[in-house]
Amino acid sequence: MDFKNLMDKQIQLIDRSLDQVLPKEKDYQDIIFESMRYSVFAGGKRLRPILMLAACEFVGGHEKDVLPFCCAIEMIHTYSLIHDDLPAMDNDDFRRGKPTNHKVYGEGIAVLAGDGLLNYAYEIMLKSLLQDAGDPKRKIQAMEEIARAAGIYGMIGGQVVDLASENKQIDGDALDYIHNHKTAALIVAAIRAGAIIGGADDQALNRLTEYGKCIGLGFQITDDLLDILGDEKKLGKKVGSDIENHKSTYPSIHGIDQSIAKVQELFHKSLAALQGYDNKSAFFVNLADYLVKREY
Amino acid sequence: MDFKNLMDKQIQLIDRSLDQVLPKEKDYQDIIFESMRYSVFAGGKRLRPILMLAACEFVGGHEKDVLPFCCAIEMIHTYSLIHDDLPAMDNDDFRRGKPTNHKVYGEGIAVLAGDGLLNYAYEIMLKSLLQDAGDPKRKIQAMEEIARAAGIYGMIGGQVVDLASENKQIDGDALDYIHNHKTAALIVAAIRAGAIIGGADDQALNRLTEYGKCIGLGFQITDDLLDILGDEKKLGKKVGSDIENHKSTYPSIHGIDQSIAKVQELFHKSLAALQGYDNKSAFFVNLADYLVKREY
């Protein structure tokens, strides 16, 4: 199967799983079910769950063990976008070509939909732990990786510094902190959690972690570049918003040429991390290539 | 030791544990540490962790096993207050006599401080699971109880209906849904989680659950009554805000006299639930009495 077909197949698998676990029944509080589903099914790339699934299979693990965790990490990612789009944060009206959650459901429900997705992610993972008759140790470890990467020492930490840096000149170190925590941490955790659930040995876990760090940072620098060089139609949102919001980005600090060179360097480092696993690294190699070349 | 001294001792124990687990080091993101601590140490009654601790000890469990979960549930409670006070929700400027989180740190940081506390609660519980060499099954079950009660089928569900009911006439059933989910669910989960970690048998767990449901609902009706009959100085916030916000409450639907009678009925039912455990139920009996008579 070629890479594009394989990606589509994996996206469909993740979407079906998300559809199964996200509630949709009628009840007093059903507006939040609708609001959570609205953002989860607003056309995400499913990068984190796909990486988790691939890492699990890379080390010989089984799809069924990791799928609840794939859903959980996509819910955590989606909650962070809903809260990030709020007027008090980035104040974005559109994402992926659709009105943001608070534009459709109001700010109050958007706050609660984010809270609901974050909390439900843990409910899903805990249910998977309780249903599993085997030793829960690996799944607990995977949960802990995800939780730390999502929290105040990971993604939320990055968002705090990002928010505090608006309209301010920051240096390269502060920007590295933002990029590594706001974006890369959860991408790395997705890969590590998948590998841990799949039963990875230390060497495979370390190599996959290195790969994840490279593509995580590369992904965010590409995002920064697309906000300058991208096509609004393909992106589904306005370009130039970082400049408009006086936001420091990789290109604004290091220049466009050096940013492009950095993405290339990270791409090659990500491939080097998986050398020696040549017979099963094809998907990761193609994914890194796709992430570097993406236009949205 | 008399009840008041015992309560003070337990509050100090919880406060010390919270102080130990909540970060305070200097780092890029340290404003969120400060913001989280501001609300956690703003003078809460510590009702949920105290109930959890008491339930654990009631069934013969050990303090050290349950303390991380006590901290976690207080963080979850605090996050819900921070988000509930936001302008998009209840829009409250004061809580317990102090400016609310977003009045001090701004709305963006307040959203993130709430997110941070919710996520950190799970980090704390997971760390406790990983450090425990014994069978993790009871702690996983306790976590699942807490997660469900905090989520879209518990507290968040109640908040959604509460928010959707503003400026609307709702019936007694809808109000029961709000009270049982927004407030009672997490109180019941605190007791159940403590009992499960302590190794409760089915009978003790059922009796404690019944006790928790009674005081949980009684607690919220008392809150509704205090917003009409309370003393602003003792409460540390304005009274009359429910009427001002056109919010349906137990007294607004059933009248003040019937509300007071309902609290008394729930108080007696809570005591009846623990009959047969007379030699160790003194703390719970005193606590129910204290909750009924409280003035803040």
Side-chain angles (χ1 to χ4, degrees), chain A residues 23 25 27-29 31-33 36 79 83 86 88-89 107-109 111-112 115-116 118-120 122-123 126-127 129-130 136-137 140-141 143-144 147-148 150-153 156-157 159-161 163 171 173-174 177, chain B residues 23 25 27-29 31-33 36 79 83 86 88-89 107-109 111-112 115-116 118-120 122-123 126-127 129-130 136-137 140-141 143-144 147-148 150-153 156-157 159-161 163 171 173-174 177:
Chain A
E25 68 268 21
D27 204 344
Y28 278 114
Q29 83 280 39
I31 186 72
I32 197 173
F33 301 161
M36 286 160 63
Y79 116 78
H83 282 188
L86 287 168
M89 310 273 283
E107 277 183 58
I109 292 292
V111 170
L112 291 171
D115 295 346
L118 174 58
N119 197 80
Y120 202 61
Y122 289 104
E123 291 179 66
L126 286 163
K127 206 174 282 175
L129 277 183
L130 285 173
K137 202 160 168 240
I140 297 171
Q141 272 175 358
M143 260 184 98
E144 205 267 337
R148 192 156 27 85
I152 51 179
Y153 292 104
I156 295 174
Q159 284 173 308
V160 168
V161 183
L163 185 67
D171 63 18
D173 286 348
Y177 179 93
Chain B
E25 68 269 20
D27 205 344
Y28 279 116
Q29 82 280 39
I31 187 71
I32 197 174
F33 302 160
M36 287 160 63
Y79 116 78
H83 282 187
L86 287 169
M89 310 274 282
E107 276 182 59
I109 292 293
V111 170
L112 291 170
D115 295 346
L118 173 58
N119 197 80
Y120 202 61
Y122 289 104
E123 291 179 66
L126 286 163
K127 207 174 282 176
L129 277 182
L130 284 174
K137 201 159 170 244
I140 297 172
Q141 272 175 357
M143 260 183 97
E144 205 268 336
R148 192 156 27 85
I152 52 179
Y153 291 105
I156 295 174
Q159 285 174 308
V160 168
V161 183
L163 185 68
D171 62 18
D173 286 348
Y177 179 93

Side-chain angles (χ1 to χ4, degrees), chain B residues 124-141:
Chain B
I124 294 294
M125 292 189 278
L126 286 163
K127 207 174 282 176
S128 160
L129 277 182
L130 284 174
Q131 283 168 353
D132 191 337
D135 182 358
K137 201 159 170 244
R138 289 208 305 258
K139 286 188 176 175
I140 297 172
Q141 272 175 357

Side-chain angles (χ1 to χ4, degrees), chain B residues 38 42-45 81 85 92-100 223 226-227 229-241 294-296:
Chain B
Y38 175 80
K45 289 181 276 290
L81 301 181
D85 287 336
D92 281 317
D93 293 349
F94 285 92
R95 178 176 288 276
R96 298 167 189 151
K98 292 186 180 177
T100 45
D223 247 23
L226 285 171
D227 194 62
L229 309 171
D231 176 332
E232 296 196 347
K233 278 207 194 104
K234 287 179 186 159
L235 283 168
K237 62 177 180 182
K238 277 200 318 178
V239 301
S241 70
R294 75 195 165 96
E295 295 179 299
Y296 59 92

